[in-house]
Amino acid sequence: MSEAVREAPKKERPEFRNIHVTELSNYRMPLASIVSILHRISGVGMFLLLPFVLYLLQNSLRSEISFAYYEGFVTYPLVKVIILGLSWSFLHHMIAGIRHLVMDLHIGLDKHSARKSSATVLIISLVLTALIALKLFGVF
């Protein structure tokens, strides 16, 4: 009887290791995790740029002269890029937040729906940001 137990084939157990920093380029994250990480980054970006936006708003509302000055200030390309980044940050954070609220209602929790909704969040936020960029840089 003991020989029968010894002769049973052993299954090779999978070996799970922690991912090292050098292996990060080989690791492929799911789309839902990318959207989640971008949601956090966009929230931090909006928080950090809030003083800049409030400063522009406060100074532009002082008088007509200060409004004209800051209207000229916003025409600089670097400032336009910052405004575009803030616009993407707001749009992505809002759309991903709506996705999370829908998921809190237990809608779209399965793998296929989560992939579709995360792809939809990325597509909508990038398309709306591209439209804002076209308007901001004077294409139409």
Side-chain angles (χ1 to χ4, degrees):
M1 181 82 120
S2 63
E3 293 175 15
V5 173
R6 279 189 219 146
E7 292 179 17
K10 274 186 145 179
K11 286 186 178 180
E12 285 292 321
R13 291 182 53 161
E15 188 175 325
F16 297 104
R17 296 182 179 180
N18 292 332
I19 297 175
H20 192 264
V21 174
T22 58
E23 298 170 349
L24 282 177
S25 63
N26 299 334
Y27 183 71
R28 185 170 167 249
M29 290 195 312
L31 194 57
S33 66
I34 293 171
V35 168
S36 179
I37 291 170
L38 287 175
H39 181 74
R40 292 169 191 240
I41 290 171
S42 64
V44 168
M46 285 190 303
F47 178 75
L48 293 177
L49 287 175
L50 185 64
F52 173 71
V53 172
L54 291 177
Y55 173 76
L56 283 179
L57 179 65
Q58 175 190 0
N59 288 331
S60 69
L61 294 176
R62 283 191 187 178
S63 67
E64 291 181 22
I65 296 172
S66 65
F67 179 80
Y69 173 76
Y70 283 103
E71 187 178 27
F73 176 70
V74 171
T75 60
Y76 293 129
L78 180 62
V79 177
K80 285 184 179 183
V81 169
I82 292 171
I83 291 172
L84 186 63
L86 186 61
S87 300
W88 170 83
S89 190
F90 172 74
L91 289 170
H92 181 80
H93 198 78
M94 181 186 67
I95 295 167
I98 292 170
R99 175 182 179 256
H100 287 299
L101 287 175
V102 170
M103 290 175 73
D104 284 343
L105 296 172
H106 300 285
I107 299 171
L109 293 179
D110 60 301
K111 194 177 197 179
H112 180 68
S113 298
R115 281 184 184 163
K116 284 176 60 176
S117 66
S118 59
T120 304
V121 165
L122 283 176
I123 290 169
I124 291 174
S125 67
L126 290 175
V127 166
L128 290 176
T129 304
L131 290 174
I132 290 174
L134 292 175
K135 182 69 175 168
L136 191 63
F137 288 101
V139 174
F140 63 72

